[in-house]
Amino acid sequence: MNHPLLSFMFALALLLPSCNSSKISTGEVNYISSSEKGTIMVSAAGYGKSKPDAINNAETSAFKNLIFRGIPGSQYQLPIVPNEAEARKQHNTYFENLLANGKYKSFMMLSEELSAFSPANKNQKNILMKVKINVDALRRDMEQQGVVRKFGL
Amino acid sequence: MNFRLSTLLGLLLFTIVGSAQEVSPTTTRKIQPTIMVVPFVRENQDMRNILENDINLRVAVTKMKEGFDNRGFSTVDFRAKLKQLSNDKAMELENQSSLKQEIIELSGADIYVETEAKPVNTGSGNSITVIVTAYDAYSGISLANKVGNSPKFYTDNYEKLTEKAVDGLVEDFLNTMQLKFDEMVENGRIASLNITFGEGSSMDMDSEIGDEEKMFSEVMEDWLEENTYKNYFHIQGVTATKLIIDELRLPFFDEEGKAYRPTKFAASLRNYLKKLGLESTRDVQGSKIFITIN
């Protein structure tokens, strides 16, 4: 009799990890420099209950802002993906692999702490990271996977 | 047992829904516009002299070409095209800026990117300002514009400053161009159409035609509604002797994915006119289509 309820709770338990705080990304990503062609260095704030969670949050925020928002002040001020909702709908697996499953690390050339891991509010702490991204390689990968169109028509 | 089964079905449902949203990588289009990076010259300036004597301009043009190459897009080489034109011919031209137009026409470039590099000397250091603008060669529509400055240094190495200035803008410039390309793919390419009558023609726009006895201009409007991309066309004006459509949209690719050029549109219109019992000639200059009914 309780089986449908149990199965519902099981499905809910499967979904819960995707709702944790490390999945929330903020716009606290600021341009630092582009000293080498095809790369960008940004500072990114990350939030989480543990330090690894907060670092992961900062790194993924840097990537999400570069891909879906653009980084003002840099030559990547236009996002790589013009329509986030459409791209996420059509290429859900790609973005899951890239952001949630850690593929983004293969495009990350540097990840350094800029501040200590310290309390941000009652529930979580934050950290400021310096992240360097190989934008050319990321764009090429997205082109090869058909997530964005190659340059041209 | 029931619990396991319902859980399994639940997970299976998640998997099916998830995978149904995936889209296979899009196939690469083979037909692409040709792009040529050209130096900016003022009217009456000798383009060849300017390019040969201005190393900063040459660096800027080359770096812009490199930007396109990095995106996997080859460009038409402007200097090679310049050399193709014989010296005699170049010397004959009174207005040097028309040489640029001639090169653009000879190259068949769909888009040209005008590039300018200007040194700026100040007490706090020297820098280079680079201005780049991409134009549709046929319509003259501007596709992207960017101005970039190098950082200021106490140096006379302007070539290096030019490199820095171009490096600082090229990605943003290409991304802006790509946005325009996306818009074109979405809404179609812009073309114009003029329909006129030959001297010996017994027809005009007010002539009634067909079983419904509609005026010829109305018949043309009906046809345009059905044959323009997303039914988009704008009539600038219609008189008894002329119908001017200053903007209509054509798809870049036909239903089979092949290139759809303005010449195909003109051929399609001519075929329709033939079915109406009308003979016509056509002239297509880039995206400007002229139809004359004889």
Side-chain angles (χ1 to χ4, degrees):
Chain A
M1 197 171 100
N2 283 335
H3 287 169
L5 184 65
L6 279 171
S7 56
F8 170 74
M9 287 173 75
F10 181 72
L12 197 66
L14 283 173
L15 289 172
L16 275 177
S18 65
C19 301
N20 69 24
S21 58
S22 69
K23 293 272 179 177
I24 299 164
S25 66
T26 70
E28 294 170 82
V29 176
N30 290 286
Y31 175 62
I32 297 176
S33 66
S34 280
S35 52
E36 290 157 40
K37 203 170 179 321
T39 68
I40 188 169
M41 183 110 73
V42 293
S43 67
Y47 295 83
K49 285 181 179 167
S50 69
K51 190 174 171 182
D53 268 359
I55 290 175
N56 179 264
N57 182 242
E59 291 169 351
T60 52
S61 277
F63 275 85
K64 284 177 188 172
N65 276 274
L66 174 68
I67 295 168
F68 301 121
R69 303 277 180 276
I71 308 292
S74 77
Q75 60 173 321
Y76 303 103
Q77 59 184 343
L78 290 174
I80 297 174
V81 171
N83 188 333
E84 179 180 359
E86 190 67 25
R88 280 190 182 275
K89 196 170 133 193
Q90 291 193 346
H91 306 285
N92 185 38
T93 305
Y94 179 85
F95 289 113
E96 275 292 308
N97 279 334
L98 182 75
L99 300 167
N101 299 340
K103 188 186 170 185
Y104 74 85
K105 286 180 194 285
S106 65
F107 304 106
M108 194 167 65
M109 300 168 76
L110 177 98
S111 176
E112 258 179 29
E113 291 175 29
L114 285 176
S115 76
F117 181 56
S118 54
N121 54 44
K122 274 186 200 169
N123 299 322
Q124 53 188 0
K125 294 178 170 182
N126 82 340
I127 193 166
L128 192 65
M129 299 292 295
K130 180 158 78 174
V131 180
K132 187 176 179 184
I133 300 169
N134 185 344
V135 187
D136 276 3
L138 175 63
R139 185 194 298 280
R140 264 196 295 277
D141 185 64
M142 294 175 93
E143 285 175 357
Q144 281 162 6
Q145 299 302 317
V147 179
V148 293
R149 220 204 312 265
K150 285 184 179 181
F151 184 79
L153 295 171
Chain B
M1 182 69 185
N2 277 343
F3 164 65
R4 280 184 190 169
L5 190 64
S6 56
T7 308
L8 196 66
L9 283 170
L11 286 172
L12 193 65
L13 189 66
F14 272 123
T15 314
I16 291 167
V17 170
S19 61
Q21 287 174 342
E22 289 300 306
V23 169
S24 60
T26 50
T27 49
T28 308
R29 299 284 196 185
K30 285 179 181 171
I31 304 297
Q32 292 292 347
T34 49
I35 297 177
M36 184 162 65
V37 184
V38 301
F40 170 80
V41 286
R42 290 184 189 83
E43 205 171 336
N44 299 324
Q45 277 187 321
D46 183 340
M47 178 177 277
R48 182 167 300 186
N49 268 340
I50 282 187
L51 195 63
E52 283 175 1
N53 296 325
D54 190 340
I55 179 73
N56 300 325
L57 192 55
R58 285 214 304 280
V59 170
V61 167
T62 307
K63 287 294 288 182
M64 284 304 297
K65 279 161 58 63
E66 192 184 299
F68 285 102
D69 288 340
N70 285 344
R71 289 285 188 93
F73 202 98
S74 298
T75 52
V76 179
D77 188 74
F78 172 74
R79 291 187 72 197
K81 288 290 168 191
L82 192 63
K83 281 175 185 167
Q84 268 182 16
L85 283 177
S86 69
N87 284 335
D88 291 348
K89 195 170 184 184
M91 295 302 285
E92 278 169 18
L93 291 165
E94 287 177 12
N95 183 351
Q96 291 294 339
S97 65
S98 68
L99 176 62
K100 180 177 78 183
Q101 191 55 41
E102 190 157 337
I103 293 162
I104 289 165
E105 282 168 15
L106 277 175
S107 70
D110 299 310
I111 291 161
Y112 64 98
V113 179
E114 224 167 43
T115 307
E116 186 178 4
K118 194 173 185 291
V120 181
N121 302 318
T122 66
S124 54
N126 300 332
S127 64
I128 285 273
T129 298
V130 171
I131 304 168
V132 284
T133 311
Y135 295 98
D136 181 310
Y138 300 118
S139 64
I141 290 170
S142 166
L143 299 173
N145 318 275
K146 290 286 166 216
V147 178
N149 296 296
S150 71
K152 282 182 181 176
F153 286 104
Y154 289 107
T155 177
D156 290 332
N157 189 347
Y158 290 104
E159 296 93 313
K160 200 72 193 166
L161 293 175
T162 307
E163 280 188 44
K164 282 196 169 294
V166 176
D167 281 345
L169 66 77
V170 68
E171 282 297 320
D172 198 17
F173 179 76
L174 295 175
N175 292 341
T176 309
M177 274 186 82
Q178 185 58 49
L179 277 183
K180 283 288 169 78
F181 285 150
D182 291 347
E183 192 269 334
M184 283 179 177
V185 170
E186 176 70 24
N187 299 319
R189 76 160 73 188
I190 299 172
S192 65
L193 171 67
N194 277 23
I195 303 175
T196 53
F197 298 93
E199 282 182 9
S201 175
S202 57
M203 286 277 297
D204 66 20
M205 287 294 168
D206 299 338
S207 302
E208 289 176 349
I209 195 164
D211 297 337
E212 294 177 34
E213 296 186 344
K214 279 185 173 180
M215 286 203 291
F216 181 64
S217 61
E218 292 167 356
V219 173
M220 284 293 93
E221 278 189 51
D222 291 346
W223 186 86
L224 286 165
E225 264 175 21
E226 285 173 18
N227 291 277
T228 48
Y229 192 57
K230 296 188 177 177
N231 319 107
Y232 186 87
F233 66 98
H234 178 260
I235 298 177
Q236 184 184 320
V238 57
T239 64
T241 56
K242 195 180 270 189
L243 175 62
I244 303 171
I245 291 93
D246 59 350
E247 185 179 333
L248 60 86
R249 296 283 183 151
L250 301 177
F252 276 92
F253 306 102
D254 65 15
E255 284 155 3
E256 293 170 6
K258 292 177 185 167
Y260 187 87
R261 296 187 184 282
T263 45
K264 277 193 179 178
F265 178 81
S268 173
L269 178 52
R270 281 194 69 222
N271 284 339
Y272 178 69
L273 291 170
K274 202 172 266 182
K275 280 180 192 166
L276 295 176
L278 300 169
E279 284 301 320
S280 61
T281 55
R282 60 100 187 87
D283 190 5
V284 181
Q285 295 167 7
S287 56
K288 293 176 184 166
I289 304 158
F290 301 88
I291 298 282
T292 307
I293 296 161
N294 299 310

